[in-house]
């Protein structure tokens, strides 16, 4: 939560929705374009949400929770199913199709995993809404710090704009923070 006092802004430490400016450089941006559509020229702007939490588990354990599709179903803010072949573990370069309910409609997404190792999971999903997702688990004393980032943009059309608005509302309401809380609970158990 951000509160205003006599022309000064005070950031509360317990508010996962705010990342202080000095922390932004720590997470950094990818060195490459993660949006496949960028090769075509113009790309619609993506809105980004972030969350971080200290976890009582090593980064490797956190990565196991992030890369296990069954565990993903337990912590994901939106229920989904894998279409086609079951995937034992998310790995860099793997592609899959998932589907679920969004804005009252069954929708599908093509998912590509860009990175899954060294404490990081980065993937993109394209459907009515496009997502760029990154999780990083960094070692800290007694466990890990998990940093999560989700960027969202419309996949185009009326359904895409509606789905983007609904997804943004979920994220604004704290869905990413809840997902990170679930990841933490799952990794610590």
């Amino acid at each position: 939560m951000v509160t205003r006092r006599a022309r000064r802004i005070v950031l509360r430490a317990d508010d996962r929705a705010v990342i202080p400016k000095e922390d932004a450089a720590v997470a950094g941006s990818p060195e490459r374009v993660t949006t496949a559509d960028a090769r075509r020229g113009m790309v619609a702007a993506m809105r980004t949400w972030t969350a971080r939490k200290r976890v009582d588990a090593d980064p490797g354990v956190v990565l196991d929770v992030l890369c296990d599709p069954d565990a993903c179903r337990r912590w994901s803010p939106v229920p989904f199913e894998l279409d086609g072949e079951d995937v034992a573990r998310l790995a860099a370069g793997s592609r899959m199709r998932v589907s679920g309910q969004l804005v009252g409609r069954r929708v599908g997404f093509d998912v590509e995993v860009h990175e899954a190792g060294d404490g990081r999971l980065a993937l993109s999903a394209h459907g009515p809404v496009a997502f760029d997702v990154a999780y990083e688990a960094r070692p800290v004393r007694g466990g890990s710090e998990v940093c999560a980032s989700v960027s969202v943009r419309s996949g185009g059309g009326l359904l895409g704009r509606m789905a983007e608005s609904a997804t943004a509302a979920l994220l604004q309401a704290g869905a990413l923070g809840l997902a990170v809380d679930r990841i933490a609970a799952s990794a610590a158990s």
Side-chain angles (χ1 to χ4, degrees):
M1 171 186 288
V2 178
T3 57
R4 211 173 260 282
R5 284 190 191 157
R7 305 186 111 215
R8 288 181 38 196
I9 295 176
V10 178
L11 302 177
R12 289 187 36 204
D14 63 341
D15 187 358
R16 276 185 248 113
V18 176
I19 303 296
K21 186 173 184 172
E22 65 268 18
D23 288 348
V26 174
S29 296
E31 292 181 16
R32 61 179 169 68
V33 174
T34 59
T35 304
D37 297 340
R39 288 183 276 286
R40 287 190 250 153
M42 292 182 54
V43 176
M46 295 184 98
R47 294 192 281 173
T48 301
W49 285 263
T50 59
R52 67 177 58 215
K53 182 172 181 78
R54 193 188 171 302
V55 179
D56 293 328
D58 290 334
V61 174
V62 174
L63 188 64
D64 287 342
V65 171
L66 291 170
C67 293
D68 177 350
D70 290 329
C72 291
R73 286 187 190 96
R74 289 190 296 274
W75 58 258
S76 175
V78 178
F80 69 90
E81 298 169 11
L82 282 171
D83 299 339
E85 267 184 51
D86 279 342
V87 176
R89 181 174 168 86
L90 301 181
S94 61
R95 295 172 185 259
M96 66 215 65
R97 180 132 177 108
V98 300
S99 59
Q101 290 277 109
L102 194 58
V103 293
R105 297 193 55 175
R106 185 131 183 99
V107 294
F109 294 88
D110 294 314
V111 177
E112 180 179 1
V113 179
H114 304 291
E115 188 175 355
D118 296 325
R120 288 185 46 83
L121 173 66
L123 59 85
S124 58
H126 298 277
V129 178
F131 297 95
D132 283 341
V133 180
Y135 289 91
E136 183 173 8
R138 288 182 241 153
V140 296
R141 185 178 300 217
S144 306
E145 180 181 48
V146 176
C147 301
S149 170
V150 176
S151 298
V152 179
R153 72 176 164 81
S154 171
L158 180 60
L159 176 59
R161 289 190 301 274
M162 288 174 31
E164 185 220 0
S165 293
T167 303
L170 280 171
L171 291 165
Q172 190 66 36
L176 183 58
L178 179 60
V180 172
D181 287 346
R182 289 177 181 164
I183 292 165
S186 185
S189 63

